[in-house]
Amino acid sequence: MPFAQPKFLMALSLAAMTAVVSGCNSYKPAPQAFNQATIQPYSLDSGDRLRITVFDQPSMTNTYTIDQAGYIAFPLIGQVPARGRTLQQLSGQIAQKLRQGYLRDPDVTIDVDRYRSIFVMGEVGQSGQYAYVPGMTVQNAVAIAGGFTSRANQGAVDVTRKVNGQVITGRVNISSAIVAGDTIYVRERLF
């Protein structure tokens, strides 16, 4: 059996190493919109609970939860689409609908009573669903989930978030800000 040429063996080993290294680096960085989502006005979605106040109308002032379809059920005007809107947009929309035969000049204010949850998975003490607090970072979320395990990659984590109706995953460092509804995945370190 003849021996393989040294150049052929060298080329074969180089191809194998390239395949291994490219497998480790096949992750694409997140687009610019991914990081900009943390500095944009808060966008409402399913699971958010809102405190809506209509001045001088105690029967309409209450807490309302955005349902799975992205709507809130509001007295007199019925279903109001809330998904993807800011608090100001939603309050303007409710006021406009109330002006159409119900109230002369409604003054509507909205505050977020409870934000939708975040999810922490992977190499953490206790994976699960946790309450979001404005200004939260990846490190805060991991701490709430029991901290890193001994096998965790503590340098960077994968965060999945909805940006403009599209689900995007990006790799970020632990000091990065998160938004309500994010899913954080802590990977296992290689060595």
Side-chain angles (χ1 to χ4, degrees), residues 148-171:
F148 292 111
T149 66
S150 60
R151 297 181 309 270
N153 178 349
Q154 298 181 21
V157 300
D158 296 336
V159 175
T160 303
R161 78 174 43 126
K162 189 187 289 188
V163 179
N164 299 327
Q166 184 180 12
V167 178
I168 302 173
T169 299
R171 189 159 293 162

Side-chain angles (χ1 to χ4, degrees), residues 84-101:
R85 289 178 171 69
T86 64
L87 297 173
Q88 292 78 16
Q89 290 170 335
L90 183 60
S91 66
Q93 185 178 5
I94 291 172
Q96 178 187 11
K97 288 188 176 204
L98 287 172
R99 268 189 217 100
Q100 297 171 354

Side-chain angles (χ1 to χ4, degrees), residues 36-56:
Q36 289 178 345
T38 61
I39 59 172
Q40 298 298 320
Y42 185 70
S43 182
L44 298 168
D45 208 344
S46 298
D48 287 331
R49 187 169 67 193
L50 309 174
R51 175 81 178 151
I52 302 178
T53 306
V54 181
F55 183 70
D56 267 352

Side-chain angles (χ1 to χ4, degrees), residues 4-13:
Q5 301 263 342
K7 288 183 180 179
F8 176 73
L9 286 175
M10 182 80 136
L12 186 61
S13 65

Side-chain angles (χ1 to χ4, degrees), residues 14-94:
L14 184 60
M17 286 176 50
T18 303
V20 168
V21 171
S22 68
C24 294
N25 291 331
S26 63
Y27 194 86
K28 292 182 183 178
Q32 187 77 11
F34 182 85
N35 294 322
Q36 289 178 345
T38 61
I39 59 172
Q40 298 298 320
Y42 185 70
S43 182
L44 298 168
D45 208 344
S46 298
D48 287 331
R49 187 169 67 193
L50 309 174
R51 175 81 178 151
I52 302 178
T53 306
V54 181
F55 183 70
D56 267 352
Q57 299 296 321
S59 63
M60 291 185 195
T61 298
N62 206 344
T63 56
Y64 302 89
T65 302
I66 301 174
D67 65 17
Q68 284 298 93
Y71 291 84
I72 58 169
F74 200 80
L76 299 177
I77 58 176
Q79 297 286 82
V80 179
R83 177 178 287 145
R85 289 178 171 69
T86 64
L87 297 173
Q88 292 78 16
Q89 290 170 335
L90 183 60
S91 66
Q93 185 178 5
I94 291 172

